[in-house]
Amino acid sequence: MALKTAPAKAGSTPKKSPPGEAASKAARAKPMAAPPAKAAPVVTVKHLAAAIADQQNLTQKQALLLVTRLVDLMVGHLKRGDRLKIGGLGILEVKSRPARMGRNPATGEEIQIKASKKIAFRAAKELRDAI
């Protein structure tokens, strides 16, 4: 099948690029970006509950209740300031960060950063070795 081209206007001549221009256009062209990496799949509480239900002969509702209560217990212990040591996974604990001086990166102005609490996780050796 032949390609159709637009008819040339009477009295016009096709434009030609100077000899070095084609090469310089190619050099200025942006390199193709690498395809975006696929995001890792997200595992939710419902996914965990479904896996537990399959393995332990529980209903989906029972397994979801079990996992939800476990998460609630963990949050309660962290609120009280307890350290959670989960064998094979790691240690979760709340750490206090004192107030400090910082800088606004846009203006360079000094600002006061409030004290805060952060959750710290330290992976167990078994987890680090597995990954």
Side-chain angles (χ1 to χ4, degrees), residues 51-72:
I52 290 171
D54 289 344
Q55 293 174 1
Q56 300 299 320
N57 290 331
L58 297 172
T59 65
Q60 296 270 342
K61 251 184 181 177
Q62 290 172 327
L64 184 60
L65 185 63
L66 178 76
V67 174
T68 304
R69 286 190 178 165
L70 176 64
V71 170
D72 291 343

Side-chain angles (χ1 to χ4, degrees), residues 2-19:
L3 295 175
K4 293 183 180 181
T5 57
K9 292 184 183 177
S12 68
T13 58
K15 292 184 179 180
K16 290 187 177 180
S17 301

